[in-house]
Amino acid sequence: MTSRKLVVSNYCTNLDWLKITHEYGIHPEDTIIYSRTPEEYKEDFSYLGTYIKSPNVGENIYDIFRYIIEYYENLPDISIFIKGNLFSRKKNQIGRAHVWTPVTPISR
């Protein structure tokens, strides 16, 4: 069987949408969440996967490289890297045309 991991880099985004990945065979034991969200937001999505606090430095590339380095000796056959705000974008980004969808921040 092919081994796989879904690696999520998250900052202040509600991750309940990750439940839809279960329909496609990616379960919490296949998911690693690197959280950059500050402590005062009291985010806890550990029920969706392995939950790891990560410093809010760089961009999501930091979490990608961190994952590769930490799991180098035991990488799965397939690694899927995504951002927590995959389905939400802020409008009016300079020089970019994005479809706008509302961002649902985590409440304090």
Side-chain angles (χ1 to χ4, degrees):
M1 177 175 220
T2 303
S3 62
R4 63 181 169 230
K5 286 287 181 192
L6 175 65
V7 182
V8 183
S9 179
N10 189 49
Y11 177 80
C12 294
T13 304
N14 188 318
L15 294 178
D16 281 334
W17 66 267
L18 281 174
K19 293 176 189 173
I20 64 173
T21 64
H22 302 169
E23 298 171 20
Y24 299 95
I26 299 174
H27 301 287
E29 57 271 10
D30 304 321
T31 305
I32 297 176
I33 301 166
Y34 286 102
S35 174
R36 300 158 161 258
T37 302
E39 292 295 328
E40 63 264 18
Y41 286 93
K42 296 181 179 41
E43 172 193 72
D44 183 13
F45 294 108
S46 57
Y47 63 96
L48 294 171
T50 303
Y51 190 82
I52 302 170
K53 287 300 289 177
S54 187
N56 188 21
V57 295
E59 294 186 12
N60 65 316
I61 196 73
Y62 176 89
D63 297 326
I64 292 170
F65 282 128
R66 178 179 175 183
Y67 168 79
I68 292 170
I69 291 167
E70 289 176 352
Y71 292 88
Y72 187 78
E73 296 296 326
N74 197 23
L75 286 171
D77 298 320
I78 299 171
S79 295
I80 304 165
F81 301 98
I82 60 173
K83 294 172 70 174
N85 67 347
L86 187 64
F87 295 113
S88 59
R89 290 287 205 171
K90 296 176 185 173
K91 60 179 171 179
N92 297 331
Q93 290 186 351
I94 298 171
R96 297 181 183 178
H98 292 292
V99 174
W100 182 81
T101 56
V103 176
T104 49
I106 299 168
S107 59
R108 287 183 180 210

